[in-house]
Amino acid sequence: MGTENDFSGEAQFVVQAGVIKGDIHVGPQVSAPPPVPRQLPRPATHFTNRVAEIERLDSVVREGSGLAVVSGQAGVGKSALVVWWAHQSMESFPDGQLYVDLRGFHSRPPQRPEEALHSFLLALNAPMDGVQDHVDAMSALYRSALHGKRVLIVADNARNVQQLMPLLPGTPGCSLIATSRNDLDALQVTEGAESVSLRPLRQRDAIVLFSRLSTQSETQQVTELISQCGSLPLTLRIAAQQSREPGDIEALIQELSSTTDRLSAMSSPDEEMGMRPVLSWSYDGLTPAKARAFRLLSLHAGPDCSVDSAAALIGTSSREAMHLLRALKSDNLLEEVSSRRFRFHDLVRDYAQERVLADESETERDAAVLRELRYYLRCCDRVDRLLAPQRRHVPLEDEDLQTPKFDFSDHAAALAWCDAEIVNLAAGVEQAAERGMHEMAWKIPVALIYYLVVRHHHVYRHDLSVIAVRAARASGNSWAQTWALICLGGAAGAVGQHVEATEHFTAALELSREIGDREWETIALGNLAWTLRLAGRYEEAYTQREQALRLQHAEGDQRGQAISLNELGTISLALDRPEQAREHCLAALPVAREAGDLLIEAEILHQLGDASSRLRDLEAAADWYGQAVLLRRRTDDRPGLAHSLLELGRARIRSHRAEARATLTEALRLLELLEDPLASEVRELLRHFE
């Protein structure tokens, strides 16, 4: 839109002018040459740094095809940039500058090519007898009139390539620069047009622009307001109009903080210049399929979405979803933040959410959200079964099984998927709880718990477990509640909240006995032993862990036995019984391998290194730590890998100094990335090599 603005030089806001005012006088021919057309609108003031884009446009004229499309989302400053650049480039076009607002995104109908050609031919003083309303003939006459001249044509606010094709000059001395909310890729393919993509202003440039417009000096509140505006020149202009006094900024921030009112706040005295009408012109031009996708994507709870999660939301294939997402990106209604991941600008999301509430029934909205949650559940379940094959897994309903799942080739791929989706998964679980979708709200956290343990995501682990407990209670499912309580107890114990952990495990133990589930009873007992160990009550912990081991043996629970035997080893080390610890771990190792749990196997290997080290058998310790390192690399267990590397380096520091140094250096790099306090200990060890 033409009131968009952005730059750091000196320029004033552009108002796109589709109507050129003035009288046309027809009289006898005179010998004086016709006036050179100078149709550019008034340039904008207070430009703020678009140097890279200016250089691209200069290059198009000097060395390129002379054709360019400046594209970007509504309000990003396309018109202001091009008009400002055109004024600075007038000397390169001595035969004139033509300008037309094609009204591609406007309350009025788009301008037809023959209308634009009519105004251009008049400006070029070309005779139009017999060609009016014949677009091909008018286009040919237009090209003839431009032949041998150097004229700049600015075609502002184009909706599609069809509006532009008749306006293309036929001579290399002329240039056409178009602006559009669409990328107009076809013009690049068929005519070699250059693409100049415009993005929101950088924060520093946005602050400069706002301060110049509002005369307000930079403060923390100004920075916050600019962030709320999304650094779009149009919204910054509107905010500046409403921020003449310091108190206005605080009031506007409060209004913008309410996601339901942001679009209303981003309105101006000229109703057509607010963000809502500006976005509506883009939305109204979408095909039905794109409009539906645009609406439903706003139901995604996280900051960005993958192609597969979008496909689930829309209810289509991944291939069709990619087509729709790329089409919306081409319309500059979506951003592609990385390969196969997309997001809305905040204000565009607000508008999409308004549309989905207005244009989709509650039933369809819930169905779309549930489709995406089922997709997430299937993927989390697949991760869980890969990481811990013998762990109890969430039950899936027929509808869940009908949802396509993402297959993972190995542990690293599964963990990488979770790493990419964890923020979206957490937001999706909260959304499920808010919508009363209790099954999804407890199943997804439970299926995700082992990943959270591996990655040491303590906050996510706790918060999602709390939601799972509440959802299981709300659904009246005591079995699920038992499981969720065990997850919550583990989350509390992992951050040293031993009293809270004991309370949750005790509640789970009582519930498991009420419903007669021996497996949950055994797991709850084992976890109570774990909290006793964490609290330093080693003898009690040892006795209770032995009781859990007997129950696990009776139930044939191999994975549980491996965990309990390893825990007995840990307690034995705490009691300074390294030989006993080694025996427990040696017994645990084949059981873990039989269970197929690589993460537990790696823990056992590491602890065998600890036991051997305590027994002063450093060669054996190094061998066990080395095996743990190999397995933890394979499973992409970064915290575990860092710790195994540290101990391997410590074991080798006297006998194999070069190996020890390399190992400790890698451990330090990982620990620093993980912000683990053990990093300081590794730095101290590395000083021995200086």
Side-chain angles (χ1 to χ4, degrees), residues 510-522:
E510 292 171 355
L511 262 178
S512 67
R513 287 171 174 167
E514 285 178 18
I515 62 178
D517 192 307
R518 289 293 297 276
E519 184 174 354
W520 286 144
E521 180 182 357
T522 304

Side-chain angles (χ1 to χ4, degrees), residues 66-124:
L67 304 177
V69 176
V70 177
S71 62
Q73 68 187 89
V76 79
K78 302 178 293 295
S79 300
L81 164 65
V82 170
V83 171
W84 189 89
W85 170 84
H87 275 277
Q88 308 311 304
S89 304
M90 289 178 69
E91 289 185 2
S92 300
F93 300 98
D95 297 313
Q97 300 83 39
L98 300 173
Y99 174 90
V100 63
D101 178 2
L102 294 172
R103 298 196 305 267
F105 303 91
H106 200 275
S107 58
R108 296 168 60 195
Q111 187 164 171
R112 294 179 299 130
E114 46 267 47
E115 294 178 275
L117 286 168
H118 185 274
S119 69
F120 285 173
L121 289 169
L122 282 176
L124 294 168

Side-chain angles (χ1 to χ4, degrees), residues 297-311:
L297 286 170
S298 72
L299 297 171
H300 176 75
D304 59 33
C305 67
S306 68
V307 173
D308 295 312
S309 60

Side-chain angles (χ1 to χ4, degrees), residues 144-162:
S144 297
L146 291 177
H147 183 73
K149 295 182 178 180
R150 294 190 59 80
V151 175
L152 172 65
I153 304 102
V154 175
D156 205 0
N157 202 13
R159 176 173 284 278
N160 52 44
V161 173
Q162 287 71 32

Side-chain angles (χ1 to χ4, degrees), residues 377 381 385 393-397 400 439 442-443 479 483:
L377 176 59
D381 178 68
R385 291 175 189 274
H393 307 292
V394 295
L396 300 179
E397 307 297 332
D400 303 327
E439 290 283 304
W442 76 259
K443 284 183 177 179
W479 182 84
W483 198 350

Side-chain angles (χ1 to χ4, degrees), residues 66-337:
L67 304 177
V69 176
V70 177
S71 62
Q73 68 187 89
V76 79
K78 302 178 293 295
S79 300
L81 164 65
V82 170
V83 171
W84 189 89
W85 170 84
H87 275 277
Q88 308 311 304
S89 304
M90 289 178 69
E91 289 185 2
S92 300
F93 300 98
D95 297 313
Q97 300 83 39
L98 300 173
Y99 174 90
V100 63
D101 178 2
L102 294 172
R103 298 196 305 267
F105 303 91
H106 200 275
S107 58
R108 296 168 60 195
Q111 187 164 171
R112 294 179 299 130
E114 46 267 47
E115 294 178 275
L117 286 168
H118 185 274
S119 69
F120 285 173
L121 289 169
L122 282 176
L124 294 168
N125 202 35
M128 286 184 284
D129 296 342
V131 301
Q132 292 190 27
D133 297 325
H134 297 282
V135 67
D136 291 340
M138 294 177 77
S139 183
L141 179 60
Y142 162 72
R143 291 193 297 272
S144 297
L146 291 177
H147 183 73
K149 295 182 178 180
R150 294 190 59 80
V151 175
L152 172 65
I153 304 102
V154 175
D156 205 0
N157 202 13
R159 176 173 284 278
N160 52 44
V161 173
Q162 287 71 32
Q163 278 186 301
L164 293 174
M165 289 299 290
L167 307 184
L168 299 182
T171 177
C174 296
S175 294
L176 182 143
I177 310 298
T179 72
S180 180
R181 296 186 196 175
N182 298 336
D183 289 344
L184 304 184
D185 295 334
L187 201 65
Q188 300 172 45
V189 174
T190 61
E191 304 297 331
E194 299 286 334
S195 174
V196 181
S197 180
L198 211 56
R199 300 185 62 78
L201 293 170
R202 293 175 299 181
Q203 185 183 63
R204 166 49 43 193
D205 298 328
I207 290 171
V208 170
L209 174 60
F210 178 84
S211 298
R212 289 177 175 178
L213 292 169
S214 65
T215 69
Q216 300 276 3
S217 59
E218 180 182 348
T219 64
Q220 184 59 41
Q221 281 192 329
V222 166
T223 302
E224 184 178 351
L225 176 59
I226 285 167
S227 177
Q228 292 276 17
C229 291
S231 292
L232 292 174
L234 175 60
T235 57
L236 291 172
R237 170 185 179 270
I238 294 170
Q241 288 177 333
Q242 302 177 43
S243 304
R244 298 303 183 187
E245 302 294 334
D248 296 338
I249 294 178
E250 183 177 358
L252 189 54
I253 288 172
Q254 291 178 352
E255 189 174 1
L256 288 169
S257 296
S258 169
T259 56
T260 58
D261 284 340
R262 281 193 297 193
L263 288 174
S264 296
M266 288 293 97
S267 60
S268 69
D270 178 357
E271 292 184 0
E272 288 196 348
M273 291 301 103
M275 278 303 294
R276 184 178 283 111
V278 164
L279 288 169
S280 72
W281 302 333
S282 290
Y283 176 74
D284 292 342
L286 297 176
T287 65
K290 286 199 292 184
R292 179 175 178 273
F294 176 76
R295 296 191 298 267
L296 293 181
L297 286 170
S298 72
L299 297 171
H300 176 75
D304 59 33
C305 67
S306 68
V307 173
D308 295 312
S309 60
L313 257 176
I314 300 167
T316 189
S317 67
S318 293
R319 175 179 291 185
E320 177 61 19
M322 174 60 91
H323 173 75
L324 290 167
L325 292 168
R326 287 274 167 83
L328 290 170
K329 173 183 176 287
S330 182
D331 293 336
N332 282 292
L333 291 170
L334 275 181
E335 300 174 60
E336 189 167 5
V337 292

